[in-house]
Amino acid sequence: AQRVTQPEKLLSVFKGAPVELKCNYSYSGSPELFWYVQYSRQRLQLLLRHISRESIKGFTADLNKGETSFHLKKPFAQEEDSAMYYCALGGSQGNLIFGKGTKLSVKP
Amino acid sequence: DSGVTQTPKHLITATGQRVTLRCSPRSGDLSVYWYQQSLDQGLQFLIQYYNGEERAKGNILERFSAQQFPDLHSELNLSSLELGDSALYFCASSAGLRNEKLFFGSGTQLSVL
């Protein structure tokens, strides 16, 4: 089965603290993984994808095939990082399968 | 603005009715995807069209149907509506056929009363 699990519905941290949003996936082939973000009153948008191995807004994510994980990390959270974060898996049909999302709240 | 346009933004209707949601993709994008977002289920993939052809199907009910027209805009038709169909329906588009960067519309909020 193709599935994405984000175990935390809500993650609350203080400004300047490290943040890690967890994502685990189930997929039999070679996975393509993405993180999407939705800021308040904005559209859902791509944050980063594993094939690019890039850092966007200080966020990074490493694919761990052994643990079937693609956790999103940032060493020092900022208030503007508060948003809804979705992990997504490229499905075998070509569509994206999304997790249920984690709401990140960064307190001042 | 992602360039993906969805109309209407809000729709209120009654059970048993039929509605049509419309999506215009970004200029040049050939793929259109429909997703349903509800509080308990998150973002559920419904269906994908590529250049007018159905390419992938997810958890789309038989009461729901979609199509993509020659000008590449897409419509999602929801019929015999039930209370449980109340949700936010997103359209997204991408340039290619699979696992491309998706650009999302702002969604249509459907309320079935």
Side-chain angles (χ1 to χ4, degrees):
Chain A
Q2 300 168 55
R3 189 170 57 246
V4 176
T5 303
Q6 292 180 252
E8 302 137 330
K9 280 190 176 180
L10 174 65
L11 184 62
S12 186
V13 301
F14 285 101
K15 177 183 173 181
V19 62
E20 181 180 53
L21 294 101
K22 291 184 172 21
C23 172
N24 288 91
Y25 66 91
S26 174
Y27 189 67
S28 57
S30 186
E32 294 178 67
L33 286 149
F34 307 79
W35 276 99
Y36 277 76
V37 61
Q38 187 172 28
Y39 300 102
S40 179
R41 288 184 288 278
Q42 293 188 29
R43 301 175 186 213
L44 194 60
Q45 58 187 290
L46 177 67
L47 180 62
L48 54 79
R49 45 187 158 182
H50 90 275
I51 57 171
S52 302
R53 299 189 64 81
E54 57 201 343
S55 174
I56 303 294
K57 300 185 178 182
F59 284 98
T60 59
D62 290 318
L63 176 61
N64 186 324
K65 291 187 179 181
E67 295 183 357
T68 59
S69 69
F70 188 58
H71 302 328
L72 184 67
K73 299 177 184 178
K74 185 169 182 177
F76 308 104
Q78 302 299 315
E79 289 181 68
E80 55 265 31
D81 296 328
S82 295
M84 197 75 185
Y85 290 81
Y86 294 91
C87 182
L89 167 70
S92 57
Q93 294 189 87
N95 58 299
L96 284 187
I97 300 163
F98 285 85
K100 292 190 178 182
T102 298
K103 183 175 182 179
L104 174 64
S105 175
V106 181
K107 299 177 180 177
Chain B
D1 185 355
S2 67
V4 178
T5 304
Q6 286 188 251
T7 57
K9 289 193 186 304
H10 304 277
L11 199 47
I12 301 173
T13 188
T15 55
Q17 295 299 304
R18 181 179 189 275
V19 297
T20 297
L21 312 184
R22 184 188 168 99
C23 170
S24 293
R26 280 191 332 152
S27 177
D29 283 357
L30 298 179
S31 273
V32 169
Y33 308 75
W34 286 98
Y35 285 86
Q36 180 192 54
Q37 185 181 44
S38 56
L39 282 175
D40 56 341
Q41 292 297 320
L43 269 165
Q44 295 285 308
F45 169 68
L46 296 178
I47 198 162
Q48 176 199 1
Y49 279 83
Y50 177 80
N51 204 21
E53 300 284 330
E54 181 185 304
R55 293 299 302 186
K57 216 166 185 177
N59 300 322
I60 187 166
L61 300 171
E62 286 191 14
R63 300 183 286 109
F64 296 1
S65 64
Q67 54 184 327
Q68 186 179 28
F69 295 86
D71 67 353
L72 301 177
H73 91 271
S74 177
E75 292 181 357
L76 179 66
N77 300 296
L78 314 176
S79 61
S80 302
L81 285 167
E82 301 175 359
L83 296 177
D85 298 327
S86 296
L88 188 54
Y89 291 84
F90 283 110
C91 168
S93 73
S94 70
L97 186 56
R98 58 170 295 123
N99 299 340
E100 302 268 342
K101 176 178 179 179
L102 298 190
F103 293 87
F104 280 82
S106 56
T108 293
Q109 180 67 58
L110 174 66
S111 298
V112 182
L113 305 178

